[in-house]
Amino acid sequence: MDLVLGTFAASFTGGLFPVINFETYLAVAASNLTFSALILALVAGIGQTSSKVVWYYAGHGTTSLPFVRKKMSCEKWQRRMEKWERRTQGRPAYAGGLLAVAALSGLPPLAILAVVYGSLKANLMLFVGITFVGRVLRSWMILEAAAFAWLRT
């Protein structure tokens, strides 16, 4: 049970503060798998997705802050936001595909993409679903690869 709680805590914290590498935690946790790798991957996916929802809402709410509004009044900022809106609005395959790539690979950084999607007020359920699936698959691959490596040593 400690492994499950630790995995959730590490994945949530790592998702909230991207400088904390939760993938390293998963690799070490794989050396002592007392649970199925898939169960730990699901727990890690829940933790990671929960933290990305915090980033999503941060992006959602930042547009009302005075210093952000001032920055957004800059022409360069407006062009960037319009560019993202043109790319994603009405194009769920593009928006979802980009999010899936970020959730699975980490590029572009998912925390940044969560803030952008939140500020664009993108569909939250779509964001949560794609992020969860991508992060579960990513965690599962890391756990399985690390467990295989630990077995070989």
Side-chain angles (χ1 to χ4, degrees), residues 16-80:
L16 206 52
F17 305 106
V19 296
I20 298 171
N21 190 332
F22 100 99
E23 289 87 352
T24 303
Y25 172 86
L26 289 178
V28 173
S31 70
N32 187 24
L33 277 180
T34 54
F35 287 89
S36 160
L38 183 56
I39 290 173
L40 279 186
L42 288 167
V43 170
I46 292 168
Q48 280 277 295
T49 303
S50 301
S51 65
K52 299 312 178 195
V53 169
V54 171
W55 283 109
Y56 175 93
Y57 277 115
H60 195 58
T62 56
T63 55
S64 62
L65 297 173
F67 70 92
V68 174
R69 261 194 259 146
K70 182 179 177 186
K71 177 116 177 132
M72 289 175 68
S73 66
C74 168
E75 188 176 321
K76 183 178 177 182
W77 180 275
Q78 288 177 351
R79 279 194 311 253
R80 283 185 187 166

Side-chain angles (χ1 to χ4, degrees), residues 60-136:
H60 195 58
T62 56
T63 55
S64 62
L65 297 173
F67 70 92
V68 174
R69 261 194 259 146
K70 182 179 177 186
K71 177 116 177 132
M72 289 175 68
S73 66
C74 168
E75 188 176 321
K76 183 178 177 182
W77 180 275
Q78 288 177 351
R79 279 194 311 253
R80 283 185 187 166
M81 286 304 286
E82 287 170 5
K83 181 179 173 183
W84 275 102
E85 284 176 351
R86 280 193 312 273
R87 285 181 177 173
T88 59
Q89 297 299 328
R91 297 173 67 191
Y94 179 85
L98 181 61
L99 185 59
V101 167
L104 194 56
S105 72
L107 293 172
L110 189 55
I112 293 171
L113 211 53
V115 171
V116 169
Y117 276 46
S119 65
L120 293 173
K121 297 175 179 43
N123 184 318
L124 178 62
M125 289 298 111
L126 184 66
F127 175 81
V128 168
I130 293 172
T131 300
F132 177 71
V133 170
R135 286 295 151 149
V136 167

